[in-house]
Amino acid sequence: MVIVMRKGSSNETVETIIKEIEALGFTAHVSEGETRTLIGAIGPAPTPEIREHLRAFNDVESVVAITKPFKLASREFKHDPSRISIGGVDTGDGHFVVAAGPCGVETREQTVEAAKIAKKHGARVLRGGAFKPRTSPYSFQGLGQQGLDILAEARELTDMPVVTEVTAPELVEVVGTTADMLQIGARNTQNFALLEEVGRIGKPVLFKRGMSTTLNEFLQAAEYILSQGNPNVILCERGIRTFETATRFTLDVSAVPVLKELSHLPVWVDPSHAAGRRSLVASLALAATAAGADGLIIEVHPHPEEAKSDAAQQLTEGEFGALMTQLQAVVEAMGKTL
Ligand code: PEP
Ligand code: MN
């Protein structure tokens, strides 16, 4: 349930309510709205008596039951869209962000060059995998710590915050030391131990939808991160498995408006992994933006033909530049800023 405090209620009264709900066996999650403080009480199903008891406090305006299986992610908990800062770059609530960079960090030169291309054409966040979750154990697995060091250097040179994937709970601390935002990949959407671990560090999380995860399951998985106390979750659609084989995955464009209807969290789209080949990436990126996405994560490589992973889908500088020009118009038409 959500306890909506009256306008202007003091920190002290909020504390009193928190103590009260904790004594009743709930965990409290506070969300400061523009005018009101909301307290999410997560725990057992609240009885009518409990709700009545809480309503009786002077500074409590209302007590609302959350009917969805996901609580902290829901619009019932927080009606207004959330805005999240990625190392100083805001996304959500009208702020549109493009993250770009290579699939994997391969060399210092490749990463720095990709970062410069990304920045030159208007990306605000640098992507690049140091720990790569590969289908085959014989494929390039990423440079690990050395990859993180290269990303830190590229950030230094371009002044762009970095998003990079974390693939295991024991790596959260080390990846979190370098990353401005931690990425959870599609193969780990329901790796609950990993989700709880990223929930315990305050850094934003780019949370990808699994290729076979329903939106309801996806939002319940996001709840694992949120319920550990990390409110900075960005949901990311990246294509799902269908019977279609003409694309690598099928980009579920409807996921964008559905997620935005159900949740206050920012929604991003990854057109690169859905498309699987570069000729389709721009169309999917524009469609996702027109559908209401708050950001995009796009693979860009200085020499895609030499890439050690996802060579077919990474954009060249020319392709990325052309997309960013088209994107500007769509972002503006959506009433957002790039
Ligand atoms: C990636 O972004 O490099 C990646 C592996 O994506 P996904 O988890 O969506 O497949
Ligand atoms: Mn990739």
Side-chain angles (χ1 to χ4, degrees), residues 103 127 132 248 273 299 309-310 313:
C103 174
R127 70 146 285 150
K132 298 296 302 169
R248 186 175 178 191
H273 289 86
E299 288 188 344
S309 58
D310 290 349
Q313 72 195 31

Side-chain angles (χ1 to χ4, degrees), residues 83-300:
R83 188 189 301 183
I84 293 176
S85 167
I86 309 157
V89 174
D90 281 359
T91 184
D93 192 21
H95 299 259
F96 191 90
V97 171
V98 175
C103 174
V105 174
E106 297 163 3
T107 64
R108 182 192 172 277
E109 291 65 35
Q110 167 249 12
T111 305
V112 170
E113 215 181 317
K116 287 182 177 163
I117 292 169
K119 174 140 186 161
K120 178 174 158 197
H121 296 283
R124 310 267 307 283
V125 175
L126 172 65
R127 70 146 285 150
F131 293 92
K132 298 296 302 169
R134 303 307 303 283
T135 301
S136 163
Y138 308 122
S139 303
F140 173 62
Q141 301 286 312
L143 299 181
Q145 180 62 54
Q146 192 196 345
L148 294 177
D149 295 343
I150 292 173
L151 284 169
E153 201 180 333
R155 169 178 47 209
E156 202 59 29
L157 289 169
T158 56
D159 201 26
M160 276 196 292
V162 162
V163 55
T164 192
E165 182 162 352
V166 59
T167 49
E170 62 275 18
L171 290 173
V172 169
E173 204 180 322
V174 59
V175 176
T177 307
T178 298
D180 298 285
M181 173 157 73
L182 296 157
Q183 179 177 322
I184 301 286
R187 288 154 191 82
N188 275 314
T189 305
Q190 290 182 308
N191 181 341
F192 302 123
L194 177 59
L195 302 184
E196 287 188 335
E197 203 54 44
V198 297
R200 286 192 271 270
I201 76 167
K203 296 232 167 147
V205 177
L206 182 66
F207 184 38
K208 294 221 181 166
R209 177 188 185 184
M211 55 192 88
S212 313
T213 313
T214 66
L215 294 175
N216 191 300
E217 288 164 345
F218 184 32
L219 287 166
Q220 290 190 69
E223 203 71 16
Y224 273 89
I225 308 173
L226 298 167
S227 63
Q228 290 300 317
N230 186 350
N232 303 310
V233 176
I234 296 167
L235 305 168
C236 184
E237 160 64 29
R238 46 76 73 209
I240 53 174
R241 276 263 154 82
T242 68
F243 53 80
E244 185 53 73
T245 54
T247 47
R248 186 175 178 191
F249 295 95
T250 298
L251 183 68
D252 182 7
V253 178
S254 357
V256 178
V258 171
L259 289 172
K260 293 189 80 75
E261 217 168 73
L262 295 172
S263 177
H264 55 89
L265 297 171
V267 178
W268 281 24
V269 168
D270 173 346
S272 305
H273 289 86
R277 59 196 154 96
R278 63 178 62 82
S279 64
L280 303 176
V281 171
S283 302
L284 300 189
L286 296 168
T289 308
D294 299 293
L296 298 170
I297 177 163
I298 300 173
E299 288 188 344
V300 177

Side-chain angles (χ1 to χ4, degrees), residues 117-118 120-122 278 281-283 285-286 296 298 300 315-330 338:
I117 292 169
K120 178 174 158 197
H121 296 283
R278 63 178 62 82
V281 171
S283 302
L286 296 168
L296 298 170
I298 300 173
V300 177
L315 299 186
T316 61
E317 171 166 12
E319 289 160 341
F320 182 62
L323 164 58
M324 289 301 281
T325 305
Q326 287 183 298
L327 196 60
Q328 182 76 44
V330 181
L338 184 62

